[in-house]
Amino acid sequence: MGKVLEKEAFGLAAKDESGVLSPFSFSRRETGEKDVRFKVLFCGICHSDLHMVKNEWGSSIYPVVPGHEIVGVVTEVGAKVTKFKTGDNVGVGCLVGSCGSCDNCTEGMENYCPKLIQTYGFKYYDDTITCGGYSDHMVCDEGFVIRIPDNLPMDAAAPLLCAGITVYSPMKYHGLDKPGMHIGVVGLGGLGHVGVKFAKAMGCKVTVISTSEGKRDEAINRLGADTFLVSRDPKQVKDAMGTMDGIIDTVSATHPLLPLLGLLKHKGKLVMVGAPVKPLELPVLPLIFERKMVVGSLIGGIKETQEMMDMAAKHNITADIELISADYVNTAMERLEKADVRYRFVIDVANTLKPSPIL
Amino acid sequence: MAKSPETEHPNKVFGWAARDKSGVLSPFNFSRRDNGENDVTVKILFCGVCHTDLHTIKNDWGYSYYPVVPGHEIVGIATKVGKNVTKFKEGDRVGVGVITGSCQSCESCDQDLENYCPQMSFTYNAIGADGTKNYGGYSDNIVVDQRFVLRFPEGLPSDSGAPLLCAGITVYSPMKYYGMTEEAGKHLGVAGLGGLGHVAVKIAKAFGLKVTVISSSPKKEEEAITQLGADSFLVTTDPQKMQAAIGTMDYIIDTVSAVHALYPLLGLLKVSGKLIALGLPEKPLELPMFPLVLGRKMVGGSDIGGMKETQEMLDFCAKHNITADIELIKMDEINSAMERLAKSDVKYRFVIDVANSLSPP
């Protein structure tokens, strides 16, 4: 591990629950023997960033430097780093540390390690609070660095580091990745649109399930979904009852589960990747009489994230992004709150994030 | 003119029925079909009293068609077999469980999952394949298609084996389906210690699982450990013990049918743990999402089992000497038994001694 607080860094931080981001100077550790240091090129804006800058989950430690969809170019590697070298295109997602020895870690599920360290807002081994990718450079243990394949555009690949793995992992774990399966995707935002692309690449038939008609054209013509269903229309729901092998539910607002359970075939799985803060109503009878399941999922392990990225490269899957400059970030957050983005903002860090003139 | 229950079929049958949602059971004359070429006629010896019987006679679920003759944990002797019946002969000891009909041609039926067939019909309070109402095992005999009759294994007592036909399969099926029996030494929590729960403890132990009973009644602890064989007992109202048990269970079988909190149960599960809901609460439960998402946890359900699996379960129980703990009652004690069942005052299943106590007036 490197010495504490040795290299200057700058970025954007929220200083309080208003969530307003402003220039912030801080330090990152020197490159330790297992560390990879890289210049950040782009960083995706995940909805979690919005929750965290506003302390909506009650766990934020200010100042918060968000960003866990980070891509860049390696500038330095530690003496014991074997997988990366200077000049490599790399990325870091939601995790930068875990215990390495529990069952979860040894089975490639660092995301479920009780001692996991997230990319921002968590205490690192050197007692500093981790700072994320809304910053000029990152330093990270090589065990948590992902190679970005050469054929993927860096800006549009960045969101895959969170949104991509969040939908990919449960599809693989629950066997919802077989050609010919019928997968529903609820919600068409950052997670949902990537979910459609991965499911199509896996050979699945995809139905986008949304609360309003407005996204039908996009879902089918732009994203390649096979069908579109408005969940508030009882006739559309009735016609599709019992037709889906799995549903990926990306919605983080409170919403009814009963119609979604009805859309599943027997033994179907409703995968929750959005995380509503309040409990949802769970009708138990469909679970019992039709042996259906509701399961949760949280990002994915590191090996799996690399696997996801390699699959994205093979099938040319990237996020649909709106590239923004660093000084647009607060406006982007306001628009994100209203779901006014198709479908992920990505900050052009290298070209637009400058240190504060007043240091 | 519609035929009465007594005259709608050729063969007179006597049983006890509830006639309205007071749920009070009383003598009832009705009739059953002739034994068809695929049928087995069963003289009923014993019938278990399942909590579903109580719900149905009181119309708790809103779809009871009175008069209701309950009973779907039936053990008896085959007295007639139709000419196409190959698996049974007269004199065989047989069982009939929760379902007596299905389409026998859909994907579920082809996979021996008759219980998930969309045209599945229940042993009682349902319309059978001939379009007439099904009546259950609180009666002197029953006529059933051979596909829905089970061989009662040698060595399995008829009285204490009867509840396995519903309670047994209801807990056995999810243990297999959700992978609880694939690796030795997994830790199962059993929430609720009634008809389902006590059988779940016994079957789980026979599968080699470590079992913790999760209950709100501390006084059930001694029985759970010394009589049923549970490894440990967790009182849900003890915050320290609940805290210490967080993240220790691979699975939970939740047999509680009253509305109850899932949050503390989900906390007991390890990462990727599974909670299987078997009880049928009247209202939806509250599902907290953070524990589900942060721990990749699952809530699933299960409904009895198919016929092949029910036979497998009976054979398994016979091999491991697993029976229900029962209180044998006479037919005319059924109403008091139902009152006690409503208060969970039974260890752990009433079984009606039908052959010795059911007699026409």
Side-chain angles (χ1 to χ4, degrees):
Chain A
M1 183 190 333
K3 290 186 219 164
V4 175
L5 303 180
E6 281 286 344
K7 298 269 197 194
E8 282 178 5
F10 60 88
L12 296 170
K15 273 87 178 214
D16 56 43
E17 292 185 1
S18 69
V20 169
L21 292 144
S22 55
F24 179 63
S25 298
F26 59 106
S27 305
R28 291 195 187 274
R29 64 179 184 272
E30 244 188 23
T31 309
E33 53 185 17
K34 290 195 189 166
D35 283 337
V36 172
R37 188 169 221 94
F38 63 96
K39 173 183 159 74
V40 176
L41 296 180
F42 302 100
C43 187
I45 298 184
C46 175
H47 209 119
S48 300
D49 299 348
L50 179 55
H51 290 307
M52 286 299 281
V53 299
K54 292 193 163 219
N55 196 21
E56 285 172 3
W57 291 331
S59 60
S60 302
I61 306 168
Y62 294 100
V64 174
V65 178
H68 58 207
E69 296 179 344
I70 318 163
V71 295
V73 181
V74 178
T75 55
E76 191 185 359
V77 298
K80 291 194 174 167
V81 168
T82 54
K83 295 191 283 179
F84 303 98
K85 60 185 189 309
T86 302
D88 281 351
N89 285 346
V90 295
V92 167
C94 305
L95 308 176
V96 294
S98 71
C99 82
S101 57
C102 68
D103 283 347
N104 299 304
C105 287
T106 51
E107 288 169 21
M109 297 194 312
E110 300 88 349
N111 47 322
Y112 298 115
C113 170
K115 297 188 180 162
L116 74 85
I117 301 174
Q118 291 193 30
T119 302
Y120 65 88
F122 271 60
K123 197 149 127 181
Y124 201 66
Y125 306 113
D126 58 9
D127 284 346
T128 61
I129 301 296
T130 52
C131 293
Y134 294 19
S135 63
D136 64 329
H137 77 273
M138 284 287 295
V139 61
C140 180
D141 183 300
E142 82 165 324
F144 296 87
V145 176
I146 305 294
R147 177 181 316 284
I148 309 292
D150 290 335
N151 66 307
L152 281 180
M154 294 284 270
D155 54 357
L160 299 178
L161 289 158
C162 177
I165 185 58
T166 296
V167 297
Y168 177 91
S169 179
M171 289 183 68
K172 299 292 290 191
Y173 180 66
H174 294 293
L176 297 173
D177 58 341
K178 311 279 181 294
M181 281 190 154
H182 183 182
I183 304 298
V185 177
V186 188
L188 203 60
L191 290 179
H193 91 288
V194 167
V196 172
K197 295 187 185 199
F198 273 106
K200 288 304 299 173
M202 288 166 179
C204 302
K205 171 182 165 182
V206 177
T207 294
V208 168
I209 302 159
S210 178
T211 50
S212 65
E213 267 296 327
K215 295 187 179 179
R216 181 184 290 269
D217 184 52
E218 282 262 337
I220 303 214
N221 297 323
R222 181 169 155 171
L223 297 172
D226 296 276
T227 46
F228 186 90
L229 188 158
V230 178
S231 54
R232 290 186 181 152
D233 180 338
K235 181 175 186 315
Q236 288 187 42
V237 171
K238 184 163 182 266
D239 289 346
M241 292 283 269
T243 59
M244 299 181 193
D245 296 280
I247 291 175
I248 310 291
D249 185 350
T250 73
V251 175
S252 54
T254 299
H255 59 287
L257 295 183
L258 184 63
L260 300 178
L261 290 170
L263 293 171
L264 290 169
K265 294 177 183 172
H266 275 219
K267 303 188 287 186
K269 294 168 184 168
L270 175 59
V271 181
M272 312 298 293
V273 292
V277 173
K278 293 199 179 133
L280 298 183
E281 258 192 16
L282 176 70
V284 178
L285 269 54
L287 302 188
I288 291 174
F289 289 124
E290 294 165 334
R291 202 150 64 166
K292 295 176 178 174
M293 290 163 244
V294 182
V295 301
S297 189
L298 178 74
I299 40 174
I302 297 304
K303 183 166 169 239
E304 194 176 33
T305 305
Q306 186 66 66
E307 192 183 280
M308 175 278 305
M309 195 61 79
D310 294 340
M311 182 188 174
K314 183 175 167 186
H315 293 272
N316 287 315
I317 297 172
T318 53
D320 289 11
I321 68 166
E322 183 174 329
L323 196 63
I324 63 162
S325 66
D327 59 13
Y328 191 78
V329 74
N330 288 310
T331 309
M333 288 291 192
E334 284 169 19
R335 285 179 52 198
L336 179 58
E337 196 148 32
K338 294 179 270 182
D340 173 26
V341 55
R342 282 203 170 97
Y343 285 99
R344 226 13 168 216
F345 290 112
V346 172
I347 307 170
D348 185 355
V349 172
N351 289 325
T352 66
L353 180 68
K354 307 290 176 214
S356 170
I358 305 162
L359 283 171
Chain B
M1 189 171 86
K3 290 189 170 177
S4 71
E6 269 186 274
T7 56
E8 109 188 289
H9 294 293
N11 298 305
K12 293 213 181 319
V13 181
F14 175 69
W16 278 48
R19 286 162 169 84
D20 55 46
K21 63 181 194 185
S22 69
V24 169
L25 291 141
S26 58
F28 175 64
N29 292 306
F30 63 108
S31 53
R32 293 195 190 273
R33 65 177 185 268
D34 272 336
N35 198 79
E37 51 190 24
N38 295 317
D39 286 337
V40 177
T41 298
V42 181
K43 173 183 155 66
I44 295 174
L45 299 178
F46 298 98
C47 187
V49 179
C50 175
H51 210 118
T52 296
D53 299 350
L54 177 57
H55 285 305
T56 308
I57 59 179
K58 292 201 166 236
N59 198 20
D60 283 347
W61 294 327
Y63 58 79
S64 301
Y65 299 109
Y66 296 103
V68 171
V69 175
H72 59 206
E73 295 180 342
I74 306 165
V75 180
I77 303 290
T79 54
K80 280 187 206 155
V81 298
K83 67 181 173 65
N84 292 342
V85 172
T86 51
K87 296 191 291 178
F88 305 101
K89 58 185 192 307
E90 283 174 31
D92 280 351
R93 205 158 58 108
V94 294
V96 175
V98 180
I99 60 178
T100 49
S102 73
C103 80
Q104 305 197 35
S105 60
C106 69
E107 202 182 317
S108 292
C109 288
D110 286 346
Q111 291 171 13
D112 298 311
L113 294 172
E114 298 88 346
N115 49 322
Y116 297 114
C117 167
Q119 291 175 53
M120 171 272 289
S121 52
F122 291 118
T123 299
Y124 69 85
N125 193 49
I127 302 297
D130 63 0
T132 65
K133 189 155 79 172
N134 288 347
Y135 295 106
Y138 294 17
S139 61
D140 49 16
N141 72 61
I142 189 166
V143 180
V144 181
D145 183 302
Q146 64 167 330
R147 182 166 177 157
F148 301 92
V149 178
L150 296 138
R151 183 179 33 80
F152 225 67
E154 190 83 32
L156 195 61
S158 299
D159 53 359
S160 55
L164 298 174
L165 290 158
C166 177
I169 184 59
T170 297
V171 299
Y172 179 93
S173 182
M175 285 187 202
K176 300 289 302 241
Y177 183 69
Y178 289 102
M180 301 184 200
T181 63
E182 279 163 21
E183 276 179 59
K186 292 289 188 185
H187 185 184
L188 168 70
V190 176
L193 200 62
L196 289 181
H198 91 289
V199 169
V201 173
K202 295 186 187 197
I203 292 179
K205 287 306 299 171
F207 273 128
L209 290 158
K210 173 181 164 186
V211 177
T212 294
V213 169
I214 305 161
S215 172
S216 54
S217 333
K219 50 192 168 84
K220 292 188 180 181
E221 176 161 5
E222 211 206 303
E223 284 239 352
I225 309 248
T226 57
Q227 190 162 314
L228 300 173
D231 296 280
S232 52
F233 188 92
L234 182 59
V235 181
T236 49
T237 48
D238 183 332
Q240 271 186 324
K241 296 227 168 102
M242 287 294 283
Q243 176 77 21
I246 282 177
T248 58
M249 298 180 192
D250 296 283
Y251 312 97
I252 292 176
I253 283 187
D254 184 358
T255 74
V256 177
S257 55
V259 169
H260 59 287
L262 290 180
Y263 181 79
L265 295 178
L266 289 173
L268 297 173
L269 290 171
K270 294 178 185 174
V271 166
S272 309
K274 297 173 185 170
L275 184 147
I276 311 308
L278 299 179
L280 293 163
E282 287 155 27
K283 293 187 188 158
L285 301 182
E286 269 193 1
L287 180 64
M289 296 312 306
F290 272 62
L292 218 65
V293 170
L294 295 176
R296 194 163 66 175
K297 296 180 186 177
M298 181 183 86
V299 179
S302 186
D303 180 33
I304 41 168
M307 300 316 299
K308 182 167 172 230
E309 195 175 34
T310 307
Q311 187 66 65
E312 184 188 289
M313 176 276 304
L314 287 175
D315 295 339
F316 179 88
C317 288
K319 181 176 168 187
H320 293 274
N321 289 316
I322 295 171
T323 54
D325 289 11
I326 68 166
E327 186 174 326
L328 199 62
I329 60 166
K330 300 196 180 65
M331 191 72 241
D332 62 8
E333 293 171 322
I334 187 61
N335 288 311
S336 321
M338 286 296 191
E339 280 175 16
R340 285 178 53 199
L341 180 57
K343 293 180 271 184
S344 301
D345 174 23
V346 56
K347 281 192 179 127
Y348 287 95
R349 233 353 175 227
F350 290 112
V351 173
I352 307 168
D353 184 353
V354 173
N356 289 324
S357 68
L358 177 72
S359 47

